[in-house]
Amino acid sequence: MPAPKSRIAHLRHEIEDHDRRYYVEARPSVSDAEYDALFRELRELEAAHPDLVAPDSPTQRVGGKPSTGFKQVRHAAPMLSLDNIFAKEDPKKPTTTGISGLRHFAHSVHESVPGEPLEWLVEPKVDGVAMSLRYERGAFTTGATRGDGETGDDITANLKTIRAIPLHLPKAPAILEVRGEVFMTAEGFRRVCDELVAAGDEPFANARNSAAGSLKQLDPAAVAKRPLHFIAYGLGEIDGDTPATQSDTLEWLKSLGFPTHRWTKLCHSTDELMAAIEELDRVRDSFGFETDGAVIKLNNVALRERVGYHSRAPKWAKAWKYVAEQAETKLRDITVQVGRTGVLTPVAELEPVFLRGSTISRATLHNEDEIMRKDIRVGDTVIIEKAGEVIPAVVRVVIEKRPPHAEPFDFAAHLGGKCPACGHAIRRHPEFAVWVCENPACPAQKTRRLEYFAKRGALDLEGLGGIVADKLVERGLVSEPLDVFDLTLDPLAALNLGTDDEPRVFGEKNARKLLEAVERARTLPLARWLHALAIPEIGEETAHDLAAHHDDLDSVASSELLRDVLALDRAREAKEKDEADAIGQRLIDAGFAKSSIKAKATPRDAVVVVGPVAACAALDWFASKPGRDVLQRFHQLGIEPKGRPRVKGGHPFAGKTLVLTGTLERMSRGEAQELVRAVGGNVSSGVSKKTDFVVAGPGAGSKLADAQKLGVRVLNEVEFFEML
Ligand code: IVH
């Protein structure tokens, strides 16, 4: 018998090797039973020799204890999203649909790197959950969800249970962040649903939700039972050289031990791109997992930095979304949902039909005019479609199948002129094609506001959706969202989610979990709170922009910056050029606007971070009675969400144009570029008279010479970081 130490090392190596063959190469070389036997032997040996247990042993994948919640981690490099090009050509949207959208994209990249030959890599867009895996000195240290792109949930213990994720990388640089997607195969999804149904639980709606829901569990042992996979497609922070191209990156990731897409295509023209996208559409059903599009990436990594980024997506990549899948079914009824602002949305109640991975029994009908335009009647046979994560919609009626007595739909008559939730009179909004319930005390509106408050991306109060929100409002435990901070254990645990005849209580365990989530929410950053408050015109993105420039809620409520945005708009309208220039410059200096890149641009042409419509809506809301009440509640509750002002007293780079050249030692050029943009500066690729600073690292060449010729101020790396 070999010594236990060497046998353990051998077994670990064997198991890792089998994992790699199975997940990376898809060529398993042993049966499940043989694999299990190796695993058992290892576990027994480790049990007999606890001093030989290592954290990265395959037996430690389910080592973590159930946690009470996830810590937040800040991503070393932001996790970006992708802008879409929708396959279905829409002449009104030539830049974001169809082949014209594709051409527009390729052309705009061409323009930002003139003269460079462009090469693209097309990859499948797997429909799962984006993940960042951090390895330090080869050991898997942290795995996190995307969250808001800057901060995500630390779900390391859950991710360690996924065998496709290597626990250690013998050949990795000291720091390596791998970006990819956790997903569930179609077969795994079916199995999970069967098990849930057998246990009397609700199945997940689709494989994506199933993967996301599995990862959200607090007990890693429960996560380990879910058939989760991982596929790597990119890099975050890395200590060392980044591969020169996307294809090299994928090759390298594979050589390190990560599963990567087996289907990718290198393309050199829009025609080749189109052909690759079409080919992927033909083969993707055979992958065994859901894909909802193709990702098109500029292959050359150095060029990417010159093409740049906007808001939270790169300009050098796009997601091509395939045409929505359609199905035919019967419209059983039209019901009406009350939204958080009182808007009444008609909903199609359908005969359930299976469509690309999920069963659909409801679809949106948008509004009354849409129903009229499509002449949709109860009893009709309709075509429905589903595109990605979008709510399914009714596309058209199959007129030939209309039953003889189907009546045209009359919205107000259908509702008897009353809100279906509270019985209050309804009114058609004069400007928009919508009917609204104007009763602010309408319980349905309260429920929707509560759900919005609790949703992911807002306060993420897991367990406070659907029926729970309904019942909290119905039983009077919550009226306004902030009332959740007054909830206590006993009444919450006793909350009846069923009926008086058939009661079903929320339960102590769920109540505790929810109260913990509520407690955690107190310290969430300002951006999440601004989003959660559902202020008109302030969506997730604007909430982040506001939070990046304000300290707290009070400073948004009385924001000089927002007032300046309105003043700039007014001065521009009134053609008061000097006034507009002065305000524009003030906003640029404060980092709340960027200088326009138009030729002969003046400060009044500044491009504001938050536009006048949103600025006006935010100021109005905070000045209104409900807004003031909310602020007061925050003070009473002692909740003080903090913003992350990027600019204090005018950053030296705000509104300035910088050129980065040569190598930087402390971080990549891409990261430096992000930081400059975060303080309101612009980074451009060529040196001109308009350049304010050239940051020259070792190896700087012609750009440094240009700067010296034009008298542009040159900074070395140390000076640059000090100013930053
Ligand atoms: S790259 C900078 N590649 O799509 C680009 N994303 O809409 C960042 N996704 O959050 C993403 N397959 O969850 C990339 N091959 C792929 C992908 C992929 C799926 C997801 C990912 C991302 C989302 C963006």
Side-chain angles (χ1 to χ4, degrees):
M1 278 292 279
K5 194 170 173 186
S6 66
R7 180 64 187 161
I8 284 177
H10 175 78
L11 287 167
R12 283 181 193 157
H13 184 76
E14 278 270 288
I15 291 170
E16 274 163 22
D17 205 43
H18 291 315
D19 282 343
R20 191 178 46 77
R21 279 172 207 263
Y22 187 92
Y23 289 104
V24 182
E25 289 163 16
R27 275 189 312 195
S29 49
V30 285
S31 69
D32 285 358
E34 284 168 286
Y35 181 92
D36 290 346
L38 292 172
F39 210 93
R40 214 171 319 117
E41 187 187 345
L42 177 60
R43 203 174 1 232
E44 280 161 13
L45 270 176
E46 285 182 345
H49 303 276
D51 50 317
L52 297 177
V53 179
D56 61 355
S57 167
T59 56
Q60 300 306 299
R61 285 194 180 274
V62 199
K65 293 208 170 33
S67 68
T68 48
F70 302 122
K71 274 192 314 196
Q72 298 283 298
V73 262
R74 216 172 136 65
H75 302 301
M79 286 182 80
L80 304 168
S81 62
L82 292 169
D83 290 331
N84 294 322
I85 300 177
F86 296 95
K88 190 161 171 230
E89 190 98 43
D90 177 350
K92 280 190 255 140
K93 298 178 186 160
T95 58
T96 53
T97 63
I99 182 133
S100 65
L102 193 60
R103 289 197 198 290
H104 180 269
F105 164 54
H107 182 73
S108 68
V109 173
H110 250 300
E111 284 208 315
S112 49
V113 285
E116 299 281 356
L118 300 185
E119 197 172 58
W120 309 95
L121 194 72
V122 179
E123 300 168 6
K125 185 169 186 303
V126 49
D127 201 7
V129 189
M131 225 39 77
S132 182
L133 312 179
R134 189 175 172 89
Y135 292 81
E136 289 177 8
R137 282 176 231 296
F140 177 44
T141 55
T142 319
T145 60
R146 178 169 179 271
D148 61 9
E150 288 176 20
T151 313
D153 287 342
D154 180 342
I155 56 163
T156 313
N158 287 352
L159 291 172
K160 276 173 100 176
T161 68
I162 302 176
R163 274 168 49 195
I165 295 178
L167 295 178
H168 72 109
L169 306 171
K171 292 182 287 181
I175 290 179
L176 173 69
E177 262 180 27
V178 174
R179 301 281 162 85
E181 201 89 350
V182 170
F183 65 99
M184 207 175 263
T185 60
E187 190 199 327
F189 169 55
R190 269 195 298 275
R191 209 186 81 203
V192 168
C193 286
D194 289 349
E195 285 168 7
L196 286 172
V197 171
D201 288 325
E202 277 281 299
F204 289 106
N206 54 46
R208 207 200 84 85
N209 290 4
S210 186
S214 299
L215 287 173
K216 274 208 233 159
Q217 302 175 102
L218 294 172
D219 181 3
V223 182
K225 295 196 184 114
R226 295 282 167 82
L228 293 166
H229 281 252
F230 177 76
I231 216 153
Y233 50 65
L235 298 171
E237 192 186 7
I238 171 169
D239 171 23
D241 290 338
T242 312
T245 64
Q246 176 68 11
S247 351
D248 291 349
T249 303
L250 296 183
E251 276 296 314
W252 184 58
L253 284 169
K254 186 171 174 189
S255 75
L256 287 176
F258 290 96
T260 50
H261 279 299
R262 242 157 283 149
W263 187 103
T264 60
K265 267 267 158 9
L266 208 51
C267 299
H268 303 88
S269 66
T270 330
D271 289 343
E272 280 183 24
L273 275 176
M274 208 52 240
I277 288 168
E278 280 165 5
E279 182 185 322
L280 177 58
D281 198 17
R282 283 194 298 276
V283 298
R284 69 195 173 107
D285 271 345
S286 67
F287 292 165
F289 54 82
E290 278 279 311
T291 49
D292 61 344
V295 182
I296 308 155
K297 296 177 182 171
L298 185 61
N299 203 30
N300 183 320
V301 172
L303 286 185
R304 288 178 178 179
E305 299 312 313
R306 288 172 51 192
V307 178
Y309 302 80
H310 73 87
S311 84
R312 273 178 279 153
K315 290 190 197 164
W316 45 262
K318 290 275 183 209
W320 174 279
K321 292 294 203 97
Y322 289 115
V323 174
E325 297 281 307
Q326 296 193 337
E328 190 178 297
T329 186
K330 262 229 170 88
L331 178 64
R332 287 177 172 169
D333 194 7
I334 295 178
T335 54
V336 173
Q337 262 183 4
V338 188
R340 64 174 194 278
T341 53
V343 170
L344 303 174
T345 305
V347 177
E349 303 291 340
L350 307 162
E351 227 152 68
V353 55
F354 194 75
L355 185 56
R356 227 179 216 281
S358 55
T359 302
I360 293 171
S361 52
R362 306 182 92 195
T364 176
L365 291 166
H366 301 291
N367 54 47
E368 183 183 28
D369 288 8
E370 193 72 6
I371 300 180
M372 296 321 217
R373 202 171 55 76
K374 294 176 181 161
D375 187 17
I376 297 168
R377 305 182 186 189
V378 173
D380 270 339
T381 295
V382 292
I383 303 292
I384 59 160
E385 83 174 18
K386 184 178 142 223
E389 289 145 44
V390 185
I391 313 162
V394 172
V395 192
R396 66 180 172 86
V397 170
V398 185
I399 265 308
E400 313 81 82
K401 298 194 181 167
R402 169 165 289 167
H405 304 298
E407 294 279 334
F409 186 72
D410 182 331
F411 199 99
H414 187 73
L415 294 179
K418 290 197 177 100
C419 168
C422 68
H424 195 279
I426 58 170
R427 182 179 73 99
R428 200 177 138 106
H429 194 288
E431 256 174 89
F432 312 106
V434 292
W435 285 87
V436 282
C437 159
E438 287 185 312
N439 173 15
C442 170
Q445 289 184 44
K446 288 183 174 176
T447 307
R448 295 289 100 73
R449 282 199 289 271
L450 182 58
E451 281 172 346
Y452 189 89
F453 189 73
K455 78 182 170 99
R456 235 176 143 59
L459 294 197
D460 198 6
L461 306 177
E462 206 194 332
L464 213 172
I467 184 87
V468 180
D470 258 342
K471 296 293 176 188
L472 282 173
V473 172
E474 191 185 311
R475 314 266 180 214
L477 288 178
V478 172
S479 178
E480 289 309 319
L482 284 173
D483 295 346
V484 297
F485 289 93
D486 298 331
L487 288 172
T488 52
L489 186 63
D490 291 344
L492 185 57
L495 179 69
N496 180 6
L497 303 179
T499 58
D500 289 343
D501 295 337
E502 275 187 63
R504 180 166 70 88
V505 295
F506 189 46
E508 187 178 326
K509 198 167 137 210
N510 290 329
R512 272 189 204 285
K513 250 176 38 188
L514 179 53
L515 290 178
E516 277 158 12
V518 168
E519 222 24 59
R520 271 199 307 278
R522 282 180 172 269
T523 52
L524 286 178
L526 182 60
R528 302 273 290 273
W529 279 97
L530 281 169
H531 181 195
L533 289 176
I535 302 166
E537 306 293 335
I538 311 296
E540 186 170 11
E541 188 117 343
T542 312
H544 275 89
D545 289 335
L546 284 174
H549 292 87
H550 294 86
D551 289 309
D552 49 29
L553 278 173
D554 288 323
S555 56
V556 181
S558 58
S559 170
E560 286 297 325
L561 295 171
L562 294 178
R563 268 189 245 281
D564 266 353
V565 169
L566 295 180
L568 174 65
D569 192 50
R570 192 203 58 80
R572 276 182 188 159
E573 286 272 306
K575 305 243 173 340
E576 290 165 6
K577 291 188 183 161
D578 293 346
E579 173 76 0
D581 275 338
I583 306 169
Q585 192 56 54
R586 216 158 51 221
L587 285 166
I588 293 170
D589 291 345
F592 207 56
K594 283 189 182 163
S595 309
S596 162
I597 51 160
K598 282 195 304 201
K600 300 206 197 107
T602 55
R604 64 179 169 276
D605 301 317
V607 183
V608 283
V609 170
V610 170
V613 174
C616 185
L619 290 174
D620 279 356
W621 187 84
F622 280 108
S624 71
K625 171 89 173 72
R628 280 181 286 136
D629 288 349
V630 164
L631 273 189
Q632 204 186 349
R633 264 321 269 294
F634 270 95
H635 294 307
Q636 284 163 353
L637 291 164
I639 301 173
E640 294 169 351
K642 290 276 172 282
R644 224 184 280 130
R646 293 173 179 173
V647 186
K648 278 245 163 70
H651 194 280
F653 293 153
K656 302 286 188 233
T657 300
L658 284 83
V659 171
L660 308 175
T661 178
T663 27
L664 296 179
E665 314 232 305
R666 284 204 225 170
M667 60 178 67
S668 74
R669 258 197 255 169
E671 284 163 315
Q673 178 170 340
E674 280 286 315
L675 288 174
V676 171
R677 290 189 331 168
V679 298
N682 302 309
V683 175
S684 99
S685 52
V687 181
S688 74
K689 274 189 288 187
K690 288 200 187 127
T691 312
D692 297 293
F693 300 97
V694 167
V695 181
S702 65
K703 288 182 191 171
L704 177 57
D706 288 346
Q708 283 156 346
K709 222 178 329 166
L710 292 166
V712 174
R713 184 163 165 205
V714 177
L715 304 174
N716 65 28
E717 183 171 354
V718 175
E719 291 167 325
F720 169 63
F721 279 111
E722 266 170 14
M723 283 176 78
L724 197 61

